[in-house]
Amino acid sequence: YAREATERALFFRLKEALVYIADSLKHKPLEFSALEAPAHDWLHPVNSAAVSLDGQALGLISVLHPRVRGQLDLVNRKAPIEKKAAVAVAELDMDAFAEIPAANFRYAAPSSYPSVAIDLSLVLNEEDTYGKIEGILQSVGCETLQSAALADYYEAGGETSLAIRLTFVSGGRSLLMDEVQEDVARIVEALGKAGIARKGV
């Protein structure tokens, strides 16, 4: 629930929280797919997704149906929901989640060399998702790319953008900025071919 963030931004925040929980406890990626028919009439008919792990259905993530705005609070049944507020919800079967075995945790010793963080701002199309961006990053195959994390998400002037923080590191030496920029250029090129442009370029 937020008064300042948009529904889409709040949806992304909640999705990232679910992904973090699954990654931390099960060391496996959550799977999101189209939800054929929302289980409740207060769920959005389009902006909803089914959530599963290891092929096991766990529940859903969604935002409120437009007609619910201004009606009674879904929890307390007292205070009305502000029409301008954004609300995102998730409903998961935690018993089913608990029964899914965790993957073996792979430990990698941290590098003794400094990492280099690059923030990349991207302009999204309506159909673009963070999962699509993750898939592109993996396909590029940058050996020094240690991690990618969602840093920010914002909407302004009819444009939807997000920022991702790319962290590069080498286990055997300090990276040169020139070679990091070469990897960033490869990533930007791959994203561009998929229709995702770098903001301001």
Side-chain angles (χ1 to χ4, degrees):
Y1 180 91
R3 293 184 176 89
E4 302 298 331
T6 64
E7 276 190 344
R8 190 170 181 180
L10 202 62
F11 182 91
F12 266 88
R13 291 180 191 173
L14 181 56
K15 182 180 177 181
E16 286 300 304
L18 298 181
V19 168
Y20 178 80
I21 291 172
D23 184 60
S24 299
L25 299 180
K26 300 298 183 180
H27 317 306
K28 297 177 180 180
L30 274 183
E31 299 145 8
F32 298 88
S33 58
L35 191 63
E36 295 183 1
H40 309 289
D41 59 5
W42 46 267
L43 294 175
H44 199 286
V46 177
N47 300 331
S48 301
V51 182
S52 59
L53 183 67
D54 262 3
Q56 169 70 46
L58 294 178
L60 57 87
I61 180 173
S62 181
V63 295
L64 291 184
H65 194 291
R67 69 165 174 258
V68 175
R69 295 187 176 282
Q71 296 182 7
L72 292 180
D73 179 90
L74 295 175
V75 178
N76 301 315
R77 301 288 179 178
K78 294 179 181 180
I81 300 172
E82 297 180 31
K83 291 185 177 181
K84 293 184 178 181
V87 180
V89 297
E91 184 178 68
L92 301 180
D93 185 340
M94 296 309 294
D95 289 333
F97 178 82
E99 292 177 359
I100 297 174
N104 292 329
F105 186 77
R106 295 182 178 181
Y107 172 77
S111 174
S112 59
Y113 296 92
S115 60
V116 179
I118 301 291
D119 287 346
L120 205 59
S121 294
L122 307 171
V123 180
L124 301 183
N125 299 306
E126 184 65 30
E127 69 277 7
D128 291 331
T129 64
Y130 186 67
K132 177 181 177 180
I133 294 173
E134 285 183 317
I136 294 170
L137 293 176
Q138 292 175 3
S139 70
V140 174
C142 294
E143 294 182 0
T144 58
L145 180 60
Q146 181 186 51
S147 64
L150 181 63
D152 200 2
Y153 179 94
Y154 41 93
E155 295 178 340
E159 183 178 84
T160 301
S161 306
L162 62 76
I164 55 174
R165 177 157 296 170
L166 306 176
T167 302
F168 298 87
V169 69
S170 171
R173 60 185 177 84
S174 295
L175 293 174
L176 299 175
M177 185 54 68
D178 286 347
E179 53 189 336
V180 171
Q181 291 296 346
E182 287 180 4
D183 283 339
V184 171
R186 290 171 56 206
I187 290 170
V188 170
E189 181 181 7
L191 290 169
K193 289 180 178 179
I196 302 174
R198 188 171 187 177
K199 188 176 178 65
V201 177

